[in-house]
Amino acid sequence: MPPRFRKDLAMPAGRVLGVIVIALLVATLFNSEAIVRAGESMERGPTRDVVLSIARPLDDVAGAVGLHLPREGLDLAFGQEDKTAEGTELEEGSTAILRPNRRKRDQQSFVQPTPDDPVEVFVTGDSQAEFIGQLLTDALPDDLFDVEIAARNSTGLTNPEFFNWEINAQQEIAAREPDAVIMVIGGNDGFNVLVGDQLYGWQDPEWLTEYARRAAVVMRALGAGERPVYWVPPPTARDEEQNGIYEAQNRAVEDAAAAVPGARYVDIFNTINDGEYSDELTIDGDRVLARQPDGIHFTREGAEVPVRLILRAMARDYEPLRGAAP
Amino acid sequence: VSFPTIEFAAFFVVVFTLSWALMPHPRAWRPFILVASYVFYGWVDWRWVLLLIASSLVNTVAAQVIARTPSQQTRKRALIAAIAFDLGLLCVFKYLGFFVTEMDDALSSVGLGSPLPLVQIVLPIGISFFTFQAITYVVDVYRGDTRAASLGDVAILQAFFPHLVAGPIVRANELLPQLRTPRDPREVLAGPGLFLIAGGLVKKTVVADELARNVVDPVFNDPGAHSGLEVMLAIYGFAAQIYCDFSGYTDMAIGLALLLGFVLPQNFNRPYLAVSLQDFWRRWHMTLSRWLRDYLYIPLGGNRKGRRRTYANLMLTMLLGGLWHGAAWTFLIWGGIHGAALSAERWARERWQGFRMPTWAAWLITFHVVCLAWVFFRSPDLSTAFGMLGQVFAGGPSPLVTFPMVFLTLAAIAVQAVPTRFWERGEAWLVTRPVAAQGVALGLLIVAADAAVGQEGVAPFIYFQF
């Protein structure tokens, strides 16, 4: 029924304001951790600064007096796993992980799919993983490959206070035990990173080394070596500054993939349209609108292009795909 | 800004406080609420505000011309110009890309090359809603159903932030009189307002997003990999998801407006209790269906020009209703299914006048026709839609069919049978509690809702894309 005026349902505006303010205070205190995470996920700018400058001290106080407990109980009840933690290797660790690995030089081989035992492919990463995963599902032979997709929107490697990919990778791999992983990530990176006590921006060489180290940590957490991990970086974007970030981080990922056994770097940045951004691409002679209005994400139709490059990379590990990838 | 976000919470506290403080001073309140609504709309991209201002300006001028000129021809020209402008906006932002792509395909298929550049146009959020609202206003002025208003009033009518992004689609004579009379700060309809906001939040976070993540999205992404049982759950689950997503949003919109002292029209009335398609459309997205009826179906002739014409009008109205959602064959088929079912229903009623189908059978048929149409609405393309339907009887394991998902689906549908008076009693009980108790209860509900969606946060509302 449309709301109609009834005196017994009304309250003065001042009391309503009291209800709203108390509700928001209660929500802020009990949810302080989530608010810090939400702040961490925001784009850099004044809103993010304000949210974090209020939420961080509040979170410290709330944590000290045990106000995190009800929320933790609710997370448990809803089956939510924590995706952040302190002291993980992703945030702090040795660059030794980037040293060339002898096993990397050996020809690695993986169990080949059969109709009785298809290969379980796990497609994950940021929002770009969604359409790529869907198109990959269509492109891979149904009887030989099963695809699962779990896109984690707005995530990256340079913001572990919001979403820690090392933890998430460990949780996902333990739960799904895939035979191969496609990791589509990088579109939300470019945040400054802390190395020791020093902050570095994406134009600093230290940032590149740190990004490569983090990529290598996640590749390992995804089980590279036991299974192939195909790392798919972002493609060229419409925005030139964004392309600068992508170019830098892609070099870092390439270095990481060269050091981690089982990791394969699928270059969709330099290869699609020769690294030139375009809203449209030609697939099998047909022009398609390949990019979404944001100038970063592929459309469903456009995702066909990176999927073909992924198939080509997979064909090196999986015999039945050889000759199938266009 | 979406409602369930930190930014909006902070925005609303400020707007609520200032709005009631300025309410006794209409000359200050009007620019304030207009600027607040523009801030809300322009948060992501301020250029969209310019579009909104242009729309208000053009429609105000047209309505003033219609109201002031005695010449019927001039009135008609002004009306046509305003409607052409409004539909032009929709065509450019919403349909041009689809048209160019289809045209390009057609030309390529006959070997005429590719003369048209494919361009990606950013769709301003809520454009379908505010352009329909603008059309409503000028047509109502033309018909004499409402008086021509000042530019400020028209701008507020179009931009009032609770309904701006995804409705309800408000008529001028529903909101303008309220804008002209200061609201009474001693009597804010807090019971229904807070109840609607809390209910909308739960519908969205606990039901819609959970169903989407755990059943609907995985199955619609790859129907062939799922059993018939999973496909059926995904179809029923999507029926529950879209209801909770869309009605959850409009519940929050209506609730927020109530807290500011304004009553917006109802948009949903327990739609899955409908026992005919006609009944369904009186309960589902009610402000769109009455728009289609009053500004399309009746002007086309409605049921006044013979049986065949009535069926044709029904079909055309529903096809255009489908296209309103987006330029895609899936939406067109969704509209076509509803148009065909409405026509068939009408034909059957006239053919077997004495026959009354048992209510349970009528409900069952109606619900399943609606679900069939949802398959096309949800699918990204026709092959997925047919893939879903072709998979309904497939066997195999069904790990996605879990108790929580079945429960959520059934609960979202069954809760509509709860009588309205039950909720009203809850609202009356709520407002008699102490302020602190109400605040703590609402605060804890927000914490629970946030825990339900987890770290990924609230997914965008489905109707934001329209």
Side-chain angles (χ1 to χ4, degrees):
Chain A
M1 294 292 287
R4 56 186 189 279
F5 186 77
R6 271 176 47 187
K7 218 170 174 59
D8 62 327
L9 299 179
M11 266 166 47
R15 277 169 60 94
V16 179
L17 181 62
V19 173
I20 296 171
V21 170
I22 292 171
L24 293 179
L25 273 176
V26 168
T28 307
L29 282 173
F30 285 102
N31 241 1
S32 55
E33 261 185 314
I35 293 172
V36 170
R37 272 199 308 270
E40 296 284 1
S41 74
M42 288 175 181
E43 278 181 35
R44 280 157 290 184
T47 310
R48 183 176 192 265
D49 296 342
V50 169
V51 169
L52 288 176
S53 64
I54 295 171
R56 276 185 180 140
L58 245 171
D59 185 43
D60 291 341
V61 175
V65 295
L67 293 182
H68 288 165
L69 293 174
R71 171 63 199 249
E72 283 168 12
L74 281 167
D75 284 342
L76 210 64
F78 283 109
Q80 307 286 8
E81 290 176 309
D82 207 344
K83 303 291 185 189
T84 55
E86 284 177 10
T88 58
E89 198 187 353
L90 186 77
E91 289 172 288
E92 206 172 349
S94 162
T95 51
I97 198 169
L98 294 173
R99 279 190 207 131
N101 190 302
R102 208 180 329 135
R103 274 176 61 209
K104 185 81 195 179
R105 287 198 295 270
D106 301 336
Q107 181 63 37
Q108 293 158 292
S109 61
F110 300 96
V111 177
Q112 297 299 303
T114 63
D116 292 334
D117 191 12
V119 160
E120 305 284 341
V121 180
F122 176 45
V123 183
T124 191
D126 58 29
S127 47
Q128 193 83 270
E130 191 66 52
F131 280 152
I132 288 186
Q134 288 179 26
L135 269 283
L136 200 65
T137 306
D138 296 343
L140 286 167
D142 279 352
D143 55 336
L144 297 177
F145 294 88
D146 287 337
V147 182
E148 283 187 46
I149 310 163
R152 306 288 183 179
N153 296 352
S154 313
T155 62
L157 304 187
T158 52
N159 202 358
E161 297 88 355
F162 162 58
F163 192 95
N164 186 313
W165 263 102
E166 181 191 0
I167 294 175
N168 183 60
Q170 288 163 348
Q171 289 167 349
E172 295 282 19
I173 295 302
R176 298 173 193 266
E177 296 181 350
D179 300 310
V181 177
I182 318 284
M183 178 72 164
V184 187
I185 200 156
N188 305 302
D189 277 322
F191 285 94
N192 293 343
V193 295
L194 194 65
V195 182
D197 294 329
Q198 187 72 40
L199 266 182
Y200 294 102
W202 65 271
Q203 281 146 324
D204 299 321
E206 290 86 351
W207 188 94
L208 288 181
T209 310
E210 177 61 10
Y211 195 86
R213 191 191 68 76
R214 291 185 185 198
V217 168
V218 176
M219 286 168 185
R220 292 248 173 128
L222 289 169
E226 289 172 53
R227 57 183 67 86
V229 172
Y230 303 92
W231 195 284
V232 185
T236 42
R238 192 184 289 139
D239 178 44
E240 274 310 313
E241 193 192 336
Q242 204 69 44
N243 281 333
I245 298 172
Y246 292 169
E247 204 170 1
Q249 73 190 41
N250 291 353
R251 278 204 308 276
V253 171
E254 222 173 335
D255 290 346
V260 178
R264 280 96 170 88
Y265 174 70
V266 184
D267 185 0
I268 67 169
F269 184 87
N270 293 304
T271 46
I272 295 177
N273 206 33
D274 294 326
E276 291 295 316
Y277 177 84
S278 170
D279 275 344
E280 65 172 83
L281 291 171
T282 302
I283 303 174
D284 299 334
D286 293 329
R287 296 156 70 222
V288 298
L289 204 48
R291 296 303 193 90
Q292 293 186 32
D294 60 15
I296 295 173
H297 291 87
F298 285 107
T299 59
R300 196 179 149 83
E301 295 74 28
E304 176 76 29
V305 182
V307 160
R308 289 183 178 189
L309 295 168
I310 295 168
L311 284 176
R312 219 174 280 171
M314 289 179 77
R316 287 183 209 119
D317 293 312
Y318 295 106
E319 179 86 42
L321 295 177
R322 280 175 208 159
Chain B
V1 188
S2 184
F3 293 153
T5 58
I6 298 168
E7 294 98 314
F8 182 77
F11 167 85
F12 189 71
V13 171
V14 174
V15 170
F16 178 89
T17 309
L18 291 177
S19 176
W20 282 112
L22 296 173
M23 192 60 83
H25 316 286
R27 292 178 71 172
W29 181 83
R30 282 162 193 243
F32 163 74
I33 202 70
L34 185 60
V35 169
S37 296
Y38 285 159
V39 168
F40 170 84
Y41 190 57
W43 194 258
V44 177
D45 191 337
W46 60 268
R47 288 170 300 181
W48 295 352
V49 175
L50 299 180
L51 194 70
L52 195 54
I53 292 172
S55 174
S56 300
L57 201 61
V58 169
N59 286 288
T60 302
V61 170
Q64 290 291 348
V65 170
I66 290 167
R68 288 178 187 188
T69 183
S71 157
Q72 181 57 22
Q73 199 180 21
T74 311
R75 282 162 48 82
K76 207 166 196 169
R77 279 185 187 154
L79 176 72
I80 290 168
I83 293 175
F85 171 81
D86 293 328
L87 293 181
L89 278 186
L90 265 189
C91 286
V92 168
F93 285 100
K94 203 161 175 173
Y95 303 112
L96 186 65
F98 176 76
F99 172 77
V100 170
T101 308
E102 292 297 312
M103 192 74 165
D104 181 65
D105 284 353
L107 290 175
S108 298
S109 66
V110 294
L112 286 179
S114 308
L116 303 167
L118 305 182
V119 283
Q120 188 59 277
I121 297 167
V122 181
L123 182 69
I125 199 163
I127 190 169
S128 307
F129 289 92
F130 72 69
T131 48
F132 265 37
Q133 194 144 309
I135 292 172
T136 302
Y137 169 64
V138 280
V139 173
D140 283 358
V141 171
Y142 180 81
R143 287 174 176 170
D145 292 341
T146 195
R147 281 188 294 149
S150 66
L151 175 61
D153 276 357
V154 175
I156 299 172
L157 171 71
Q158 266 195 296
F160 187 48
F161 72 87
H163 72 67
L164 171 60
V165 170
I169 301 168
V170 185
R171 281 185 173 163
N173 59 13
E174 287 169 331
L175 194 56
L176 285 180
Q178 297 185 67
L179 295 175
R180 287 171 184 146
T181 324
R183 313 282 91 199
D184 186 350
R186 291 163 304 177
E187 292 179 329
V188 179
L189 271 173
L194 294 173
F195 230 76
L196 284 166
I197 293 168
L201 193 63
V202 170
K203 277 180 181 176
K204 170 65 177 161
T205 57
V206 179
V207 186
D209 284 3
E210 283 293 304
L211 284 171
R213 192 176 307 139
N214 296 305
V215 184
V216 178
D217 291 350
V219 175
F220 272 89
N221 283 349
D222 186 14
H226 295 277
S227 69
L229 219 54
E230 288 179 325
V231 167
M232 289 300 286
L233 181 61
I235 294 171
Y236 294 136
F238 181 66
Q241 182 205 340
I242 192 165
Y243 167 69
C244 287
D245 192 287
F246 190 20
S247 76
Y249 183 86
T250 44
D251 283 354
M252 283 190 260
I254 294 168
L256 291 164
L258 279 177
L259 295 188
L260 293 172
F262 297 91
V263 178
L264 300 183
Q266 190 183 14
N267 219 15
F268 291 88
N269 182 17
R270 304 184 291 166
Y272 293 141
L273 296 186
V275 290
S276 68
L277 261 295
Q278 191 183 40
D279 187 20
F280 176 78
W281 279 103
R282 285 178 180 151
R283 294 164 174 268
W284 178 271
H285 203 176
M286 294 152 72
T287 56
L288 174 68
S289 54
R290 76 176 182 182
W291 194 100
L292 292 172
R293 182 196 63 202
D294 294 346
Y295 301 97
L296 194 58
Y297 177 67
I298 292 176
L300 282 170
N303 59 2
R304 303 183 309 274
K305 296 192 173 174
R307 198 180 290 170
R308 281 190 185 171
R309 183 70 187 271
T310 302
Y311 299 147
N313 288 343
L314 275 172
M315 187 54 110
L316 189 61
T317 303
M318 295 317 295
L319 286 174
L320 289 172
L323 270 184
W324 175 83
H325 289 88
W329 294 107
T330 46
F331 290 130
L332 207 63
I333 292 182
W334 174 80
I337 291 172
H338 277 282
L342 281 165
S343 302
E345 209 172 75
R346 194 176 188 94
W347 175 82
R349 234 187 353 255
E350 287 168 2
R351 177 82 175 75
W352 295 294
Q353 285 183 356
F355 176 74
R356 272 187 68 85
M357 189 182 284
T359 308
W360 65 267
W363 173 82
L364 202 67
I365 293 170
T366 304
F367 181 67
H368 282 88
V369 171
V370 170
C371 285
L372 170 70
W374 284 141
V375 172
F376 289 89
F377 190 95
R378 169 61 182 80
S379 297
D381 48 42
L382 292 180
S383 68
T384 305
F386 290 117
M388 286 289 290
L389 297 175
Q391 198 70 9
V392 163
F393 298 107
S398 305
L400 297 185
V401 182
T402 59
F403 175 73
M405 292 306 111
V406 174
F407 174 78
L408 281 182
T409 304
L410 291 176
I413 295 164
V415 79
Q416 296 176 42
V418 176
T420 311
R421 63 177 183 280
F422 174 85
W423 303 116
E424 286 178 346
R425 250 182 256 154
E427 292 164 4
W429 179 84
L430 179 74
V431 291
T432 55
R433 299 306 98 193
V435 167
Q438 290 182 52
V440 170
L442 190 59
L444 292 177
L445 187 125
I446 295 171
V447 177
D450 193 60
V453 292
Q455 274 181 241
E456 287 177 54
V458 183
F461 287 91
I462 295 173
Y463 265 68
F464 276 18
Q465 60 186 299
F466 306 137

